[in-house]
Amino acid sequence: MATTTIGDLFDVAVTHLRQVARTPLGSLQSGERSLPAREVDGLLLRVQDGLGPQAYTPVPTSEERKLTDMERDLRGWLVQARGALGTARQYLSPQAETGGPAAKGVIAASQAVGAVRDTIGSHLGPDRAPLTPYAYLLREQDAFDYLASRYSEVAWAAGQVVHRLAQEAEYPRAGAALDRAWRSLDRASVNVRASSPDTDRVFGSFSAALPVRPTHAGRRIRPVPSPASLPRTANASLAPRTKPSTTAPNSG
């Protein structure tokens, strides 16, 4: 039985969005065109919430760091894109109950992005302490650089959907706002890719952890072994690596 990894989930999200961007939208009724825009906004919010260690980190709050320049830059462009989408939706016709295959495709992509956080969370306890040796990867910046890089791919693919909506918008003001959202998402992707050209893909092999079942009710789960106790191959992937700083310029 094949195991779904974090990398697979990102691939699924991008594939769904690319398919939506190629879907003929001319057949949609006026009220159906606002629903894909709403779903894209929800997807971008999930991406925004997944940035940085505070979303996942198993270390105490006092040790959590702020976003890197790359993560902060990506979040800033996402905020701008979501603001433009909100403006566009004010000029679009009231949304219908269904947006057809376009909205369904965006929803499927959003679910895949949400599953990324669920997969990572399966390796952490309620107090965010590591439940599996793989959770120790979350102590390395490489893991978060990988996430930012893949999230930027999702943002770019979502931008292609927004661009398609802009091209077929019925009202000029809606089209202009959708165009601004598309440009923000395009900038987000370009800047992050320039900042992380050699992102380590090891973290993408994460799969969901099996449920942890205590031997006796109420018994505390024993601590997860440290990386030093893991096999040599695992230690190699968990060992800290140093690399030159490649932060993106702050977009303000």
Side-chain angles (χ1 to χ4, degrees), residues 160-233:
Q160 300 310 297
V161 175
V162 174
H163 189 213
R164 187 63 177 272
L165 291 171
Q167 290 176 324
E168 303 193 21
E170 295 178 296
Y171 305 104
R173 290 184 178 180
L178 288 168
D179 187 70
R180 290 197 302 274
W182 163 61
R183 293 182 186 279
S184 293
L185 294 173
D186 189 63
R187 287 287 301 275
S189 176
V190 170
N191 288 356
V192 171
R193 289 179 184 181
S195 302
S196 57
D198 300 316
T199 300
D200 186 359
R201 315 290 281 194
V202 172
F203 193 69
S205 63
F206 252 49
S207 59
L210 295 176
V212 177
R213 296 182 178 179
T215 305
H216 301 290
R219 183 176 180 181
R220 185 175 180 83
I221 300 173
R222 287 187 294 180
V224 174
S226 67
S229 66
L230 300 176
R232 179 173 298 178
T233 55

Side-chain angles (χ1 to χ4, degrees), residues 29 50 131 140 150:
Q29 300 298 319
L131 293 179
E140 304 299 328
R150 295 309 307 268

